[in-house]
């Protein structure tokens, strides 16, 4: 289910462009999530379970997420683990299987007035819609929908996300939250792997697309096209 995780990452990555690096309304946090999902992917019953964590400081200027989940398809179990770090406008995506880190810069274009938007205005500018509100772990969250992803956010921090992609409904919900606690630099350390650029990542993604079905290819091509329009000029 890497494609579902990628979709969520892209949505929140785009939101971060409009936050002028103060991506959250809270200075720091440590959050643990539970991941679950089920459905029929192309007519095949699929079950998902796992966990993830989010740690950030300086209002999201430095952030790391760690996700691990299992997908069971026709009795066959596959486990996926991903680590993503954002540090001062640079995104590091760790591929633990290939032992490599992909580096991508998110430039802040001061000439673009849209980049001065924050919070609700950022979501609205991207076409997001507010659906209502709901408590998650006693925190009053606003519910937003953007690009097919529903997000329950407390002070811009996601406490729950819900995606429905290719027939699979996947939910990630917080089970433990600590705001404004002590955050050490060691929490953001990455494995000592070689670092590749965004261009290298795009080339490898195109190679992976060769093995996808026509439906999967179209979905990824549309996502890459939309992201290219929003994030033009990146290195």
């Amino acid at each position: 289910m890497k494609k579902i995780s990628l979709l969520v990452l892209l949505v929140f990555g785009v939101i971060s462009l409009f936050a002028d690096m103060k991506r959250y309304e809270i200075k720091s946090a440590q959050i643990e999530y539970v991941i679950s999902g089920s459905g029929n992917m192309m007519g095949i019953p699929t079950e998902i379970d796992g966990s993830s964590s989010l740690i950030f400081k300086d209002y999201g200027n430095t952030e790391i997420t760690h996700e691990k989940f299992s997908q069971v398809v026709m009795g066959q179990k596959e486990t996926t683990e991903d680590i993503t770090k954002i540090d001062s406008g640079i995104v590091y995506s760790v591929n633990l299987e290939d032992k490599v880190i992909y580096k991508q810069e998110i430039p802040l274009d001061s000439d673009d007035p849209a980049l001065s938007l924050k919070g609700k205005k950022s979501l609205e500018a991207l076409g997001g819609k507010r659906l209502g509100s709901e408590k998650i772990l006693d925190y009053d969250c606003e519910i937003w929908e953007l690009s097919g992803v529903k997000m329950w956010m407390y002070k811009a921090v996601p406490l729950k996300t819900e995606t429905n992609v290719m027939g699979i409904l996947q939910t990630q919900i917080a089970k433990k939250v600590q705001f404004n606690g002590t955050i050490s630099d060691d929490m953001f350390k990455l494995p000592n792997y070689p670092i590749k650029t965004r261009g290298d990542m795009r080339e490898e993604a195109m190679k992976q697309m060769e093995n996808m079905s026509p439906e999967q290819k179209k979905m990824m091509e549309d996502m890459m096209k939309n992201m290219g329009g929003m994030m033009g000029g990146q290195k």
Side-chain angles (χ1 to χ4, degrees), residues 36-155:
S36 61
S38 63
N40 289 278
M41 180 185 291
M42 303 180 70
I44 301 174
T46 303
E47 298 286 337
I48 299 169
D49 69 89
S51 63
S52 67
S53 65
L54 165 65
I55 301 174
F56 68 83
K57 65 178 182 179
D58 299 332
Y59 300 96
N61 187 48
T62 303
E63 168 185 308
I64 190 166
T65 60
H66 191 166
E67 180 179 83
K68 185 176 182 178
F69 60 91
S70 297
Q71 172 187 356
V72 179
V73 181
M74 299 180 65
Q76 299 294 321
K77 185 175 182 179
E78 177 184 354
T79 299
T80 300
E81 186 173 5
D82 296 300
I83 299 174
T84 302
K85 178 180 177 180
I86 300 175
D87 189 12
S88 300
I90 299 178
V91 180
Y92 300 88
S93 301
V94 182
N95 186 319
L96 294 169
E97 183 177 353
D98 296 336
K99 299 185 184 303
V100 65
I101 298 174
Y102 295 106
K103 175 182 176 181
Q104 176 178 338
E105 182 178 354
I106 301 178
L108 294 177
D109 186 356
S110 58
D111 294 330
D112 188 346
L115 294 183
S116 64
L117 300 176
K118 298 182 181 181
K120 300 176 186 178
K121 292 184 178 180
S122 303
L123 289 165
E124 290 170 350
L126 291 167
K129 296 181 180 180
R130 183 177 175 182
L131 305 180
S133 60
E134 183 181 350
K135 285 184 177 291
I136 303 293
L137 295 179
D138 292 328
Y139 293 100
D140 292 318
C141 298
E142 293 185 353
I143 306 173
W144 287 81
E145 184 173 15
L146 175 64
S147 299
V149 179
K150 291 176 67 176
M151 300 162 282
W152 283 252
M153 297 191 295
Y154 174 73
K155 296 185 180 298

Side-chain angles (χ1 to χ4, degrees), residues 129-192:
K129 296 181 180 180
R130 183 177 175 182
L131 305 180
S133 60
E134 183 181 350
K135 285 184 177 291
I136 303 293
L137 295 179
D138 292 328
Y139 293 100
D140 292 318
C141 298
E142 293 185 353
I143 306 173
W144 287 81
E145 184 173 15
L146 175 64
S147 299
V149 179
K150 291 176 67 176
M151 300 162 282
W152 283 252
M153 297 191 295
Y154 174 73
K155 296 185 180 298
V157 179
L159 296 187
K160 178 180 177 181
T161 60
E162 185 177 278
T163 63
N164 195 333
V165 179
M166 298 177 63
I168 304 297
L169 178 63
Q170 179 174 312
T171 301
Q172 177 173 287
I173 185 169
K175 68 174 184 178
K176 183 178 179 180
V177 177
Q178 180 182 1
F179 290 126
N180 296 322
T182 301
I183 306 292
S184 70
D185 292 339
D186 289 342
M187 295 179 177
F188 300 97
K189 285 186 176 180
L190 296 178
N192 187 23

